[in-house]
Amino acid sequence: MGLPEQQPAEEQVILSDHPHWTTLIQTIVLLVLTVAVAGAAIFFMPDVALRTQIQLAIAVAAVLVALVVSVVPFLRWFATRYQLTEQGLVIREGILSRSVRTIPIGRVNDASHSQRLIERMLGKGTLTVESGGERGLLVLKNVPDVDKWHQQIYRLIDDMADGVRDGR
């Protein structure tokens, strides 16, 4: 009887977040417009023979449009997660099918971030990570507190370099 296999220690998650909430602004506006247009169409419907059926059809169409323009983008936003662990940067995306991309910290060559004025005021920005390999450039838009992400990536790179220098 062999010894039980030793499980690797859980990776410590340093930062974890969804894209910034402002990515949902267009979705929210479309939802409000859909409800407003449907409500106005139902309320101001002239008296015709099939008024109730037409109002019901408008309501059903509005619900279907609302599902498409708001629920799907919200689920896409909710299913997207950026994580920075001690081992690397992990991006998880997808509602029904899942896509996971991992960039080990040891392969990160450069990281930078940019923020326009409005992005600085909202606390978000674009994080660009360059790594060795065939898919070497990763651009993450709408990263909340992007400066903190950038600093943490370089802290991990420095910690890894110190560990190599110290012989760990």
Side-chain angles (χ1 to χ4, degrees), residues 23-153:
T23 57
L24 294 173
I25 288 177
Q26 181 180 2
T27 300
I28 294 166
V29 168
L30 288 173
L31 178 61
V32 169
L33 282 174
T34 301
V35 170
V37 168
I42 290 170
F43 184 74
F44 293 112
M45 174 69 58
D47 283 331
V48 291
L50 300 173
R51 180 176 186 201
T52 305
Q53 289 84 355
I54 293 173
Q55 287 175 327
L56 182 60
I58 291 171
V60 168
V63 167
L64 291 176
V65 169
L67 285 173
V68 171
V69 301
S70 65
V71 173
V72 172
F74 175 78
L75 289 175
R76 189 174 295 124
W77 171 84
F78 189 76
T80 300
R81 172 136 328 255
Y82 306 143
Q83 285 186 321
L84 181 62
T85 69
E86 291 178 329
Q87 303 299 313
L89 184 62
V90 181
I91 298 92
R92 291 181 170 83
E93 299 174 305
I95 300 171
L96 298 177
S97 61
R98 197 74 165 144
S99 168
V100 179
R101 180 166 181 200
T102 303
I103 299 176
I105 282 297
R107 298 196 88 187
V108 173
N109 297 333
D110 186 35
S112 62
H113 75 276
S114 62
Q115 293 175 293
R116 296 183 306 236
L117 177 61
I118 189 75
E119 291 175 326
R120 288 185 69 192
M121 292 188 319
L122 292 170
K124 67 176 187 167
T126 300
L127 180 66
T128 305
V129 179
E130 185 181 323
S131 68
E134 60 188 52
R135 292 175 30 183
L137 189 64
L138 175 67
V139 178
L140 298 176
K141 296 184 179 198
N142 297 310
V143 177
D145 203 5
V146 70
D147 188 48
K148 184 176 182 179
W149 282 78
H150 188 196
Q151 290 172 1
Q152 288 296 326
I153 289 171

